[in-house]
Amino acid sequence: MNTIYTTLISQVRERTPLIHHITNYVTVNDCANITLAIGASPIMADALEEVANIARIASAVVLNMGTLNERTILSMLAAGKAANEAGVPVVFDPVGVGASALRNEAAAQLTSEIKISVLRGNISEIRFLAGLPSETQGVDASNADLKNAGDTATIAKMLSTRLNCVTVITGAVDTISDSKEVVCLENGHPMLGRITGTGCMCSSLIGAFCGVSPDKPMEAAIAALLSMGIAGEIAFEKSGREGTGSFRVALHDAVSHMSAEILNERMKFL
Amino acid sequence: MNTIYTTLISQVRERTPLIHHITNYVTVNDCANITLAIGASPIMADALEEVANIARIASAVVLNMGTLNERTILSMLAAGKAANEAGVPVVFDPVGVGASALRNEAAAQLTSEIKISVLRGNISEIRFLAGLPSETQGVDASNADLKNAGDTATIAKMLSTRLNCVTVITGAVDTISDSKEVVCLENGHPMLGRITGTGCMCSSLIGAFCGVSPDKPMEAAIAALLSMGIAGEIAFEKSGREGTGSFRVALHDAVSHMSAEILNERMKFL
Amino acid sequence: MNTIYTTLISQVRERTPLIHHITNYVTVNDCANITLAIGASPIMADALEEVANIARIASAVVLNMGTLNERTILSMLAAGKAANEAGVPVVFDPVGVGASALRNEAAAQLTSEIKISVLRGNISEIRFLAGLPSETQGVDASNADLKNAGDTATIAKMLSTRLNCVTVITGAVDTISDSKEVVCLENGHPMLGRITGTGCMCSSLIGAFCGVSPDKPMEAAIAALLSMGIAGEIAFEKSGREGTGSFRVALHDAVSHMSAEILNERMKFL
């Protein structure tokens, strides 16, 4: 048994870490349900008057730019700073960075003023943050960026060094780096790209695992990505051919049954 | 046949009461769908410019603090007052009260300025509102509060007297009091705690039943809790072992098929 | 094969048009997932600082009044005007118009300041916009309006002429007019009215088809309504008797498998 990751999943289920999300209104229900499915407890709260207090009592904070606006940018800054002061790990999901000046400036401010534990994005978002040519237009990775992904290991490493965080690039292969090491995972299924929110849900799971492993964000991120990737495979095997609605239901089912045994049996490192 | 509750469910399906929600963006879709599933018609509207008008034409108003902010607190106050003037019953769900000053102050203001028909919360939220020691940190009941629930009947009765409303404490056993009587229900299933929004959905169903029974909020609350608890049992029997995704789908299915016959057959009073 | 509509669905799947939504927080997740299911790419963004930029790079813009407020009205105006300047088609869904002055004024302003390509509503909403007596109270068509629908073809034609757009009235029969022609579709199933968001999802699908057919909004609207109506039939056949939860899952499944062949085989014009 690869004891690191399998221990972490048992710890999430035992300790029920509180995961504070400031996230978008598109996939927030999926994020709450996936957080519960893995065994953690979600709280979504974005009012400036309360976010610092809630971030301090949380086990991890997840900041997701999906539908950000001026009000929630301020809340993310306040929550992130409070989390930093309290030693609570922060996961950052720069949804759609590259698609508008608002998103670009918010991501720049959040990454410069907050110490991020784990940054997760698709290849378009990560290339943009790394200062490389990027063709992000929406919230999904562009085909051009997918074909021209380049050496994702090098990009992840570079960005991790610059931001002093773990960087995760999700895609057909997931790449995770803490600036020194790079790990690549092969678990997952293309159907994960046919429903909304699977990226956001990855970030929520990273938050859940960071909640029991704040000092080992690399291991937490890997355990989260394995859980999501393997759940995607199981969901496709069970009902992916039915269509995207059934696949989504089966994905939640699979995360809710994820265990040390399943992780250990199916994890595939490149 | 216990004619009170079975009559109410038929009336909801016949009259399609309009249920105005000012609620959180996490579980709002579940609330709308469960309102439709029981036979009522949901309208979600939170702009200060329109909430009073909509509350007046509604059959019930549901105020839920899940993701409140300064803007929606003002809207809840306006909607609640308009509902009071028009004789429209108000259901109040103080999600996460105890977790932040913002929530505590909002709950205090809403309960003092608005005449509530039915208040519904978990044991942590209700203990906090009753002025008892409480360990709420998130939006779920804390383990300490669950173990130390005390005499929920006494707490519900006391809070009902103080706020002049029906108080509902949902949990493994549901406790309902109108300050004189106390009723305890045993229906339900632990899986209801493994998906988000089941508390919010209970409040929506209470709204739907109050919409056809504004003068008997105790009966309305009991009928709603029976519907949700029994639907939870049926959903678990049908597909709870599949996981949380399938359970959630089956829960909506079961509410959409809830009938006087099923209520009558399965209701379990303690 | 009726080549117009079957060609359009293949084009959506090949070109993955980016569909910018400013929509309500109740059904936004359904709208994102249905947009993905038909083969397009959704982006939900409502901050005034970015909506014009995103509207310009989108293939279509969907404006939905479901939970509008002062902030999002301004965003809708900005996005709509930017789309007009860039030649990007705009779909408008006047959810709940007639239910409040806020909605009535917003709809009036949006339709006067923005060139709409396709307007979609239920009979209550469309009657209100057409200046006819209407009993809208919530977001669903009122029974009175359903019984008193009158000559929907005439109403759709009149409103299309006045607003210089394609008008769609969805219901048991869907009526589509571009002021000259009127087309009526019989596909669909009553279960579509028992879950939230099917109207919003129709508007999202219209956006997806307009995204590949900006110059033929009538054909785009028909292809979208056929897709939704036929998916409703397939979903009911597959699992509608299970209840509303299963029906909703099956609806997403059916849209994700919608094809030229299925459209061609099942389309029913009145």
Side-chain angles (χ1 to χ4, degrees), chain B residues 28-61:
Chain B
V28 59
N29 183 273
D30 287 322
C31 291
N33 270 321
I34 218 71
T35 301
L36 282 162
I38 202 69
S41 175
I43 181 167
M44 278 58 184
D46 66 22
L48 187 56
E49 295 82 6
E50 68 173 351
V51 289
N53 288 328
I54 291 178
R56 276 189 210 105
I57 60 167
S59 297
V61 171

Side-chain angles (χ1 to χ4, degrees), chain A residues 8 11 15 59-60 87-90 117-118 208-218 220:
Chain A
L8 285 179
Q11 287 178 345
R15 298 187 198 165
S59 296
V88 173
V90 175
S117 285
V118 183
F209 282 97
C210 282
V212 296
S213 176
D215 300 329
K216 298 191 170 176
M218 178 93 173

Side-chain angles (χ1 to χ4, degrees), chain B residues 122-134 145 148-150 155:
Chain B
N122 63 39
I123 184 64
S124 291
E125 291 156 352
I126 297 296
R127 284 183 67 91
F128 182 88
L129 287 179
L132 297 167
S134 163
D145 291 336
N148 187 30
I155 298 170

Side-chain angles (χ1 to χ4, degrees), chain B residues 13 18 23 25 28-29 32-33 36-37 41-47 49-50 54 57 71 238 249 252-253 256-257, chain C residues 25-27 30 66-70 99-100 102-103 137-140 194-196 241-246 248-249:
Chain B
R13 296 206 183 275
L18 183 67
T23 189
Y25 59 84
V28 59
N29 183 273
N33 270 321
L36 282 162
S41 175
I43 181 167
M44 278 58 184
D46 66 22
E49 295 82 6
E50 68 173 351
I54 291 178
I57 60 167
R71 186 179 73 81
K238 185 180 166 200
V249 172
H252 283 270
D253 282 348
S256 73
H257 282 306
Chain C
Y25 59 85
V26 184
T27 66
D30 288 322
T67 51
L68 87 174
N69 58 45
E70 295 230 310
S100 76
L102 179 74
R103 286 167 199 257
Q137 292 203 319
V139 295
D140 299 314
R194 292 208 57 207
I195 59 172
T196 194
R241 282 173 191 84
E242 308 270 318
T244 55
S246 294
R248 180 185 175 217
V249 172

Side-chain angles (χ1 to χ4, degrees), chain C residues 41 57 65 71 88 112 141 144 155 162 170 198 207 209 218 251:
Chain C
S41 175
I57 59 167
M65 297 201 330
R71 185 178 74 81
V88 174
S112 72
I155 298 170
R162 191 186 304 164
T170 48
T198 49
F209 282 96
M218 178 93 172
L251 183 69

Side-chain angles (χ1 to χ4, degrees), chain C residues 8 83 129 153 244:
Chain C
L8 285 179
L129 288 179
T244 55

Side-chain angles (χ1 to χ4, degrees), chain B residues 90 92 115-120 126 156 159-161 163-169 175-179 181 206 210 216-222 225:
Chain B
V90 175
F92 179 47
K115 164 77 182 78
I116 306 294
S117 286
V118 183
L119 167 74
R120 189 213 65 83
I126 297 296
L159 200 53
S160 290
T161 306
L163 298 178
N164 187 24
C165 71
V166 170
T167 298
V168 174
I169 307 173
T175 306
I176 304 113
S177 177
D178 63 356
S179 82
E181 276 188 293
I206 294 171
C210 282
K216 297 191 170 174
M218 177 93 173
E219 285 76 4
I222 293 169
L225 292 167

Side-chain angles (χ1 to χ4, degrees), chain A residues 195-238:
Chain A
I195 59 173
T196 194
T198 49
C200 304
M201 287 189 261
C202 271
S203 297
S204 291
L205 291 181
I206 295 171
F209 282 97
C210 282
V212 296
S213 176
D215 300 329
K216 298 191 170 176
M218 178 93 173
E219 285 76 3
I222 293 170
L225 292 168
L226 287 171
S227 300
M228 193 68 178
I230 292 170
E233 296 169 6
I234 294 171
F236 182 76
E237 290 160 15
K238 184 179 166 200

